């Protein structure tokens, strides 16, 4: 497979973000679909050091692809951040033999982002009990009336998840920003995810 083919294949994730845009989706479903997309794209064996190296390369690659999204580059970058964090959780689980379904991996993301208190609550939220938008509203997040809807477009769901994740991330003080996968932050993310997964 040539370089052009590899780039084409890797761009599927960004294209999937805007597919079926008219089809409404819940935030929980959007997060589970994101995990499923990561698992479909990111296959292969990992060694402990590979998780860090792959995370950095993945974010750079998706950042470059996001530039091709034109006026949608901003949301494409937000998607890239969420995608890369989901990929770290999936990579660590696969590396250490932790069996996680897509729903469970999505629940771990909620916990990693500090949106829920424990894994049991995270699993209930992913199942829609209570809905994730209710959790966000309960945490006094600055959600507009439109953002409190039960169903979203895929693009809107990505933006909402990214903004909330950034708003509670103590490593992103001040304005919420994309391209957060610095070396230091990536190492901290891996360390937190390992502790959460019991590794």
């Amino acid at each position: 497979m040539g370089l052009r083919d590899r780039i084409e294949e890797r761009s599927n994730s960004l294209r999937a973000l805007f597919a079926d845009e008219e089809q409404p989706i819940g935030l929980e479903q959007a997060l589970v679909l994101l995990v499923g997309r990561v698992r479909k794209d990111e296959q292969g064996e990992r060694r402990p050091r590979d998780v860090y190296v792959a995370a950095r390369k993945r974010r750079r690659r998706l950042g470059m692809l996001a530039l091709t999204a034109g006026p949608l580059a901003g949301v494409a970058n937000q998607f890239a951040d969420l995608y890369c964090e989901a990929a770290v959780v999936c990579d660590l689980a696969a590396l250490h033999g932790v069996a996680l379904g897509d729903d469970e991996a999505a629940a771990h993301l909620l916990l990693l982002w500090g949106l829920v208190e424990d894994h049991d609550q995270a699993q209930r939220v992913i199942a829609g009990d209570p809905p994730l938008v209710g959790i966000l509203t309960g945490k006094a997040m600055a959600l507009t009336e439109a953002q409190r809807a039960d169903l979203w477009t895929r693009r809107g769901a990505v933006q909402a998840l990214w903004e909330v994740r950034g708003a509670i991330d103590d490593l992103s003080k001040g304005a919420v920003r994309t391209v957060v996968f610095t070396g230091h932050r990536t190492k901290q993310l891996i360390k937190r995810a390992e502790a959460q997964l019991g590794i």
Side-chain angles (χ1 to χ4, degrees), residues 43-124:
Q43 298 178 3
E45 301 260 335
R46 294 270 189 257
R47 295 180 307 236
R49 173 71 181 166
D50 290 342
V51 173
Y52 172 77
V53 172
R56 298 294 308 283
K57 287 182 178 178
R58 182 186 296 121
R59 185 58 186 87
R60 281 195 298 270
R61 183 183 69 240
L62 287 176
M64 291 301 290
L65 287 172
L67 293 176
T68 67
L72 298 175
V75 69
N77 259 311
Q78 293 167 353
F79 173 76
D81 282 343
L82 297 177
Y83 180 101
C84 289
E85 291 183 351
V88 165
V89 170
C90 292
D91 278 355
L92 288 171
L95 175 67
H96 296 282
V98 178
L100 293 179
D102 291 354
D103 289 5
E104 292 170 297
H108 273 288
L109 285 170
L110 293 182
L111 193 55
L112 196 63
W113 295 336
L115 290 174
V116 291
E117 299 298 322
D118 55 49
H119 191 252
D120 287 341
Q121 183 188 15
Q123 288 182 304
R124 289 194 303 273

Side-chain angles (χ1 to χ4, degrees), residues 126-147:
I126 289 297
D129 181 29
L132 179 53
V133 72
I135 294 287
L136 304 184
T137 303
K139 285 187 172 288
M141 297 295 178
L143 298 178
T144 66
E145 265 326 294
Q147 287 177 316

